[in-house]
Amino acid sequence: MSSEHGETDPGPDDSSLDDASDTAAVAETVEHDEGWVGSYSSSRIVDILQEARQDEGQESESTHGIAFQGYGRYKEEDEDSLVPSGPKSPPEATGRPLSADGSSSIPDDSPSVHGSLASVLGRDKRLYGHARSPTPSLRPFDRRFQANPSSSPFGSVRASPPAFHTSHSRQVSVGSQIAQSIKDSVSSETPWDAIRWTKLRKISGQVFSEIGKRNFGRPTCIAVAASIALGTSKGIILVFDYHQNLRTVIGPGTKAVECGPLTSIALSADHSAISGGHTNGSIFTWDITKPAKPVLQIPSTDLSRLRSAENDGHVSGSAVLHVGFLGTRHTALVSADGTGMAFAHHAAQGMGILARSIRSTRVLGRYPEPKVASSRPKKPSSVLALSALPLGNVEQASDSMDLVAMLTPYLLVIVSTTPIAQTQYKAARPKELEAHSAMSGCLAWFPAVKLKNLELNSLKTSSKTKLAYCWSNILTILEVAGSEPNEANGNDKPQELRFKPRKRWQAEESIVAIQWLSRSVLGLLTISQQLIILEDVSLKVTESSDLIQKHVYHADLFSQQLNLLVEQLDEEDSSMHGVVADAFYMSFRAYKGRLFLLGYNDIYMGTLSNWADRLLALMECGDFIGAIQLATVYYNGDAEKATIGLPEDDRSRHALVQEKLLEMMAASLKYAFGKNRNARTPQLQHNQLRELASACFTACLCVGDRDFLFDAVYSWYEEANAQGVFLETMEPYINDGEINILPPTVVKDLVNHFMEKGFQARLEDVICRLDPQTIDIDQLTTLCKENNLFDALLYIWNQGLGDYITILSDIIESQSMQGSGQANVDMRSDLNDSTGTSKLFPYLSYILTGRVYPTGKEMSEDKATVAKAEIFNFFFSGGDGQGMNDRKKIATNGRSIVPFTNLRKILNLDAPSFLSMLNEAFEDDFLTGSTERTEDFQNVTEEQRFGLSINRQYVVSILLEVMTSSAYAPEDMIYLDMFLSRNLAKYPQFVLLPGATLDRILLDLCNYPIENDGVTEDCQLSVEYLLSIYQPPDISSLMPLFSRAKFFRVLKSIYKSEKQYSELLQTCFEDTSSPDAVFQCIADCLGHKSGLSEKQIDEVKAVIARHAQVLCTFDVSRAASTLEQYASDLHEVALDALKNDDHSRFRYLRQILDPSESGKAISDRASSNSGLIELYVQLLCDYDPHHVTEYVEHLKSGDIRLEEVLPALESSGAVDAAVVLLAREGKVRHGIDRLIQHLKTLESPLLGLLERAKDSPDTANTQEACDDLTESLSKYARVGIWLCRGQTKAAANPNALNQQLRRSRSFKGELSVDETLWLDLLDAVVQITKNVTEAVESQRNGKEGRKSDDRTSSQKIKAVNNSKHVLSLRTLVQDTFTALLTTTSDSPIKDAHQTNVSFLRILRAFLERVSLSSPSLSSLRTVLATIFSAYSYEESLLTLANQLLDDDLFVHVAKATALRKRGWRSLGQVCEGCGKRVWGPGAGGDIWYAWERTQQTEALQRDANEETRPSGTAVTNNGKGKGVTDEDSKPVQSSGSVPSGVARSKASRSENNANAKERCLAATTLAAYTLQDDYIQEGFFDQFTFFTGSDPTEGYVNFVDQSTASSGGLISSSSGVVHMGVDNTTVLTDSSSPAGRNSVRLTSNKSYNHGLIIIDLAHMPGGECGTWPAFWMFANAATWPDQGEIDIIEGVNSASQNAMTLHTTSGCSVTNTGGFTGSTLNTPNCDVDAAGQSANAGCSFGATSTQSFGQGFNSAGGGVYATEWTSQSISIWFFPRGSIPSDINSGSPDPSGWGLPTALFAGGCNIDQYIQNQNIIFDTTFCGEWAGAVWSTDSTCAPLADTCQHYVEANPGAFSDAYWEINALKVYSNDGSTSQGNAAPSSASSSAVPVASSIASPSAASQSVAPPASSSVAPSSSPAAITSTLVQDVVTSTAPAAVETVTALSASDFPDPGQQGGIPEKRKRGTRRRSHLAEHLHVAHGHS
């Protein structure tokens, strides 16, 4: 039972538990085991730390100090008693509670916070920033003055302790993370474990000893409350107290020990009674104080007696795995066994055991039923977990219900057992459950309790009842609450419970046990014995530890019962589990926040370490810094508060932690510095002191105790002479703004320390962040002056004294004296030049823009206004800052003064900086000069009032008055001009100046005295500002000045506005800083839309021509493209300007002439200039010779002059390009000559290299050179081939004259010009090859003859691969011959030109030439032999390839022929001629009979032919279906085959014409369905059985019997119309109608196999939220879905379209062949457990018409659904009321004429195997597994109620239209074997066999009337099967003769039934072709 540590007590009597001594012992145990619980004062901590010093020699050095063994000694106290033996300080000693609820345990009176952190969040570095930042410009008037307080290098170095840097592991806790770096050499178990385990040695010694096992048996289960109870394997219960003394032994000498081992025990709420369940099913309840005999005995009962008896109970032999007490009574129990059954037991009051009567009520499961061999076994079940809800300390609606939660492998069920057993809540296992995971289940209740430490705004006074339950690795938290009382219904009505699954969490592995450690903390045990601590609200893992070493006891209690769920493992079945986990729940218990483990050899008690434990553990280990940091985390609430026992509300937590935090800091400081003072060991390291100081700073700032920080902490550091560490650690906290007040002594030490260290800049930063109102200004001012800390000094004077002038005046005076050379005699001597203007002008900028100097914070508006007024008065009041009265007095006395002294002084210091500062100040609205502002400030001085009145105009006037050219240098005056220009343009409404002044400013700006780019740009910008508001009277006179000053932007603007485009372009050329502007200007001026006149265009072009070289210098490619686009006539000018730069000219021309580079086609203007192209080709030869050939190929004839470019081409080696040009000019002969000459030129160096290869010192380069020359030879020879081939084609002539001349030349031996070209090329190539070959051979021979050559020389010769060159050249010769042969041997094509080139003539001439030039043909013979052998090899390859191709072609042709003979698949199921169905669903059996009769007729005809055949005539069978020829050469049909139709006799044709109607393949008159059952006419309700059991679909419905339904008006029958409805008047509740709303479910008495079921409905249910109506068929429910299910009409909630579904086992699916219409195939797999589909989805069609279901159906007047069930398919048609076929109304239905069905279940399913023995069913249920599951997703229904059940209960009127109104229900059959009643199916009852069985067997020929042998169709096959074989599968080879049968039927075989003696006109064309079907089949494959 769970408890809430002072918040709740599960017992009924609080005083009974509080007064118990055992409870006191428990409390003491808590105090002892939880370690430091607050009784330790700081002195105690110091004592612990001092003890560590004594053992210093044995301890190891840790990160922050010394590792101690104090905790280990403390822990190793005697564990034989759970009550501590030594003295201890009770919690009361401290005077305050240790936890939020006043206990020393874990408080959890409020939920934890999401996302709580387990470590100190490191401080982020916050960079100091200002409202205004400087722009990246050197120009003075764009500058923003900025103070630069240096960021301390330690500003962000406030590192989190290293303890928080470690990662999570299997054993994780915040404490363990902190001390990962601390070595522990004492024990393998660190003292800061999340759970501190204590081995109960005394109990373990008694129980697990050999004597204990022999006397009591081995422990099997444990229960814990005020006592520790153990159940044993001998049926004995052992009860121990918390002193580990054996208190009671229960069971010996009683019947209990005869009932077998105990499998479960439970203690009552008042801890005085205990109950145990045994393996034989018996239960005994005992009074612990009177164990002699049981108080209550519930024996098990034989199964046969249970079935006949009224009372329930456990079956004998079923182990009671769970037992628990209900409420506070000892006589009310709940139990569950391993077979899945649970019972509630209530004993009546009486005297003694005999007087008690026990009533047991079954609340879960069913008794085992006798096994039936033919039935499918039920899914096994068991109760994995059971728990009764304990009572909390706050009244709840569930208190009187005695709730019990049970978990099975499939469901969570919560049942109320009082006053009657009733299901309150059910939930299926989550879908997120991983497939094949370990099956486990566990649950635990936590009752509602009162809340303490309530939040101020919280209205909740108590928590909710919670149930945590787990399936495998999925944990769910379920909240239970009572409904609000309804005054309308009165107070007598019991409250209803609301169940809300709040959150779900997934573990990494299966969870086997769960317990509540507190209201917000859960303990989970996983299958690998890992303990996980989980916070309830956030479901965040806070701790985890490994219990594998504890060897927790577990037992296999469920695998035998649930073996079917794992042994039949199916990888595709996601419902299967990989293994059934062992049970751990009986070994894992929790009480009062402690965990108890029953192990195999020991018993453990574990306590969750609270926050104080962890802090003490760190302190004892010497990690006092980590302890302080962790305590700070606890104070801030950044840890898992519920786990460590801290309250959620800040006030309580702060009060709890603050005192301990201060005590730890005090003890840590005393220990750290005491060690330094007294110990002989070295002092703590500097970084350790810094970390300690940082931890103390963070802690003190968090708790808000700064006095402790500066009084205690600083004192320790000061005494140890380590105040520098403290001060430097304090710096980042000051810079971050967390500390702004310091004691004076600390300030003094801070200044002295930082000055000694040289940290002046950092010191100023620190001082400027302190609150000046809290510091000693005199002291700090003196210190700042002594150390020249003027930033700090200014800050103190401004913020501390409110004085902005004094220190400013001192700085100016000091700088002025230094500038004048005067000696400083006062304090100003300290104000040296090291500060100067670097402090002065940023200071003025900050103050005049309303910012605090130097921090940059914004001043308050009033303070800023006064400060600005003082500054402006100081500079612009006219005097020296002493005020107006003083000035008047001085003037009266006759003294001569210079006005505006202070202004003059600062201008003399740095006029540019002052004006830049003033430019920034002008942006502030202070200078607007509002009179209202002056009136608002009444209590101001006269000087301040004057400053308030100053405006921009006044300042400008004073500046003009003071800064004159006579008084200031031009370098200063130019800045005044820039200042005035800019601000005049920005504030024209506030500043006015006369024109003369503006003209002077313009002149001065143009004549700026400083030659500096920055100044030039500033002056130009100022001129632009000024010209934007001022137009000079004579702008033209200023243009020379602008030009001389290089104000190009000003000039461009003026020229553009005045449309002086040539001057504009000239200016752009002069402005070399912006080349892009030049090209843009040309585009703007010469573009199509520029609008320039011809004169202006000429002027612009003239400018371009003058600057052509400059333009090309910018970007030559861009210049070329720009001129090409806008001024192509300037190309020659540009090229002339580049005459000294050939490479630039090359780039220029490439841009305009080479499309491959520019990406654009060559323009006509460029291509028309042959000079440019010639120049480009010449330059191309120099800079890119490889590209020459590619370029000239794009040129046209006449583009260039050949004589101009040939020298350049030849000199660059671009001979191929020269040849191309020569050929283009028609000079082919010249081209080939040049090419041959070049080949000979290349031959010479190649021969030289080969001959000298042996002497070459660099063989690698020689080899490379040879390769290059060989490649060039090959390249240019192929150019020659291209040239000869092109010339041959161009000179081709087809006329006879040329042919005659060619023939005459063949006799005379003359060659044509083309032939001569080929001959010369061949000769050159062969000669080169011959010469190279000879050179190589001679070299090789010479090498062999030199036997005495040294090795090095041999290696050199060998290095040159000569054979490669020979091979390459021989390949070239072969390619040349091949090209010639190809050109001369092309086969002539009609109208094609023939060449006049003869290969033989050329070859002959070639041989003659060779014989003349070379007397010896040996070398030539070698070359030619190689070539012709290659030709011979190629011929062999071609011959072999042709042979292979021929063979392959023959195979494909043969295959195509075979496929053609097999026939073609038809495109549809309907005959084109008669319109009847030929095959598929609805074809009927007459096709078979008609075909059969046709075969009989033809067999008789064959017999007659045999009788008339002359004797001796030989009959030769030429093959399947082929005819033979007799003596008269007349075709005779071969025996046993189907007539082919080609050689039919006239008699046979006449016979066929006479019986054409019978032989039509689509005739169905004999296959019409006959009526089997008419349910309306034969008494509708008499033919159905009323189902009254619980709804198998878990619906909220109560199915009633016939009498109840009739009396309640639910059913009626009148005038041939049947009505079936539901209850629509009763408002329901769970208590009044726990099952649900009344309805009916009817099941037909007959079952069917095949048939046609037609139902005519006038009205159906549907469209009403909560309903689930269905008209369907299915077989025995016990074997479902083995025999399948057919859903004809079905829908839920607001659905408007019908769903038609098939449910089967695996192996059946639907193929989408397109044979249906008006629906969509939603899911194709009919398997109810199909992977990838929702559970039980099946194969489903969804109708698309809204008239098919529900309200749309009813509005249309209803309609008809027809279902045809055959061996091949199941088809469903829907006909609205106005579209019902006439044959249905007439009672002669013919599906073949109905068109495509709405749903077609066919394809991948053997219908006869999966669908059998189907009964017809009507039902209307509510909610359930479908309608209830999708309620929340239905946009119409979901807003009506939170759940489906609530809506159904409260809205009976919504179901007034939920009724069936049936006009007709008929079942038709076509073979009389459809109906079977309720008999079991037999093998002969099926009206058809599967298609697979229709293949012929050897016995088929023995039948009396059999189809032809060639048809391969068995005579027992059904008509539909034969049709499918003959037509649907004609592509296969099983029935080739059947195809011939189809193709044999001509159109004359199908006369019109409506006409006599002929064929209707529309069919006359069919007399000249095959039958309609045969034609259809041929057309399907494209055959005519």
Side-chain angles (χ1 to χ4, degrees), residues 1646-1658:
K1646 292 183 179 181
S1647 63
Y1648 298 91
N1649 284 283
H1650 300 172
L1652 179 64
I1653 301 95
I1654 298 178
I1655 183 170
D1656 186 334
L1657 293 171

Side-chain angles (χ1 to χ4, degrees), residues 125 149-156 728 731-732 735 754 762 765-766:
K125 181 178 180 180
S150 303
S151 298
S152 171
F154 305 100
S156 62
E728 292 181 21
E731 180 184 358
N735 290 335
F754 274 65
R762 289 166 54 186
D765 296 342
V766 170

Side-chain angles (χ1 to χ4, degrees), residues 96 325 347 713 957 1137 1230:
R96 63 187 305 123
F325 287 92
V713 180
S957 301
H1230 189 194

Side-chain angles (χ1 to χ4, degrees), residues 665-684:
M665 286 191 290
S668 300
L669 292 165
K670 185 181 297 184
Y671 167 71
F673 292 105
K675 176 181 177 181
N676 289 342
R677 183 174 59 251
N678 300 326
R680 298 178 181 178
T681 56
Q683 294 184 355
L684 291 179

Side-chain angles (χ1 to χ4, degrees), residues 1452-1522:
H1452 285 290
V1453 171
K1455 185 176 180 181
T1457 303
L1459 290 175
R1460 187 179 186 280
K1461 289 181 178 180
R1462 287 165 59 182
W1464 299 269
R1465 184 179 295 275
S1466 62
L1467 287 177
Q1469 302 173 357
V1470 180
C1471 177
E1472 288 183 346
C1474 61
K1476 296 295 185 179
R1477 186 178 298 274
V1478 177
W1479 63 278
D1486 284 353
I1487 299 175
W1488 161 253
Y1489 299 127
W1491 181 81
E1492 203 172 41
R1493 286 194 298 274
T1494 302
Q1495 308 313 307
Q1496 293 175 4
T1497 303
E1498 294 180 352
L1500 294 175
Q1501 183 67 35
R1502 286 194 298 272
D1503 291 342
N1505 293 339
E1506 290 293 336
E1507 293 177 359
T1508 59
R1509 184 190 306 275
S1511 61
T1513 303
V1515 179
T1516 303
N1517 189 355
N1518 291 333
K1520 185 180 293 185
K1522 299 294 183 180

Side-chain angles (χ1 to χ4, degrees), residues 326-329 332 346 389-392 394-404 415-422 424 465 492-497:
L326 295 173
T328 59
R329 292 169 292 170
H346 294 82
L389 173 62
L391 299 181
V394 60
E395 184 178 353
Q396 292 288 305
S398 58
D399 292 350
S400 61
M401 295 184 178
D402 292 339
L403 293 183
V404 178
V415 178
S416 60
T417 58
T418 304
I420 60 172
Q422 185 175 1
Q424 298 292 335
T465 301
D492 296 336
K493 183 178 179 179
Q495 283 191 350
E496 299 176 359
L497 299 181

Side-chain angles (χ1 to χ4, degrees), residues 17 285 369 427 485 589 642 808 889 1084 1193 1295 1455 1468 1501 1561 1649:
L17 179 58
T285 302
E369 298 180 357
R589 300 294 183 184
L808 173 64
K889 180 173 61 178
D1084 294 340
E1193 288 178 353
N1295 57 60
K1455 185 176 180 181
Q1501 183 67 35
L1561 290 177
N1649 284 283

